[in-house]
Amino acid sequence: MEISKVAHIGIAVKSIEESLKFYEGTLGIKCVGQEEVRDQKVITAFLPLGETEVELLQSTSEDGTIAKFIEKRGEGLHHLAFKVYNIEKALEELKAQGIRLIDEKPRIGAGGAKIAFIHPKSANGILIEISERE
Ligand code: ZN
């Protein structure tokens, strides 16, 4: 599989507005936009930083995955996203190696990217996203 960079670092937060006080106000990483991804019940905020991006994730529903994550573990690092060139091919390779996947097929994430998640059980406890985006 060909991975070119860390596409973004996903952080689960209770409130994007509140957390921007730290990320923008204190760290000075500017937020360039927000987007609601309805089928994932999240609002994402994008904070580009060099070659990568910090992605803040706020749940829009109490039964959303981000809300459940925060309920169980508190706010914090949620996932790490790697940029791949060909997500279908990457998924085939992962399947062939017996890697446990959350998404067998790519779905559309924020910014229209094709994304899929690898189960943390196959990735040393980290939820890994692979993402193909222009
Ligand atoms: Zn992500």
Side-chain angles (χ1 to χ4, degrees):
M1 180 178 344
E2 219 181 327
I3 290 174
S4 61
K5 64 172 188 175
V6 174
H8 59 260
I9 298 148
I11 300 170
V13 300
K14 287 180 187 161
S15 159
I16 285 174
E17 200 188 324
E18 276 300 308
S19 54
L20 282 179
K21 288 179 188 164
F22 176 69
Y23 287 96
E24 278 195 319
T26 306
L27 298 182
I29 311 171
K30 289 277 166 273
C31 176
V32 297
Q34 294 187 22
E35 183 184 333
E36 182 174 353
V37 184
R38 277 173 199 249
D39 72 331
Q40 285 160 51
K41 297 178 179 168
V42 291
I43 299 171
T44 58
F46 310 102
L47 293 82
L49 183 65
E51 283 278 291
T52 190
E53 218 167 70
V54 172
E55 184 183 88
L56 302 176
L57 304 150
Q58 177 191 324
S59 191
T60 55
S61 157
E62 276 177 23
D63 67 347
T65 53
I66 295 298
K68 286 187 200 151
F69 177 89
I70 290 174
E71 200 183 293
K72 239 194 273 174
R73 302 165 63 167
E75 293 182 301
L77 183 61
H78 180 258
H79 67 274
L80 196 58
F82 292 121
K83 182 179 178 178
V84 296
Y85 292 104
N86 184 332
I87 195 167
E88 282 85 4
K89 195 169 156 236
L91 285 171
E92 285 310 315
E93 286 177 31
L94 291 164
K95 267 184 247 175
Q97 289 170 47
I99 301 296
R100 200 165 146 192
L101 300 172
I102 292 173
D103 302 298
E104 299 269 320
K105 293 211 156 56
R107 52 178 148 133
I108 301 301
K114 286 198 269 183
I115 65 167
F117 285 97
I118 299 172
H119 199 283
K121 287 238 156 74
S122 280
N124 306 92
I126 304 269
L127 177 63
I128 304 259
E129 172 186 337
I130 53 173
S131 164
E132 182 190 328
R133 185 186 197 174
E134 287 320 304

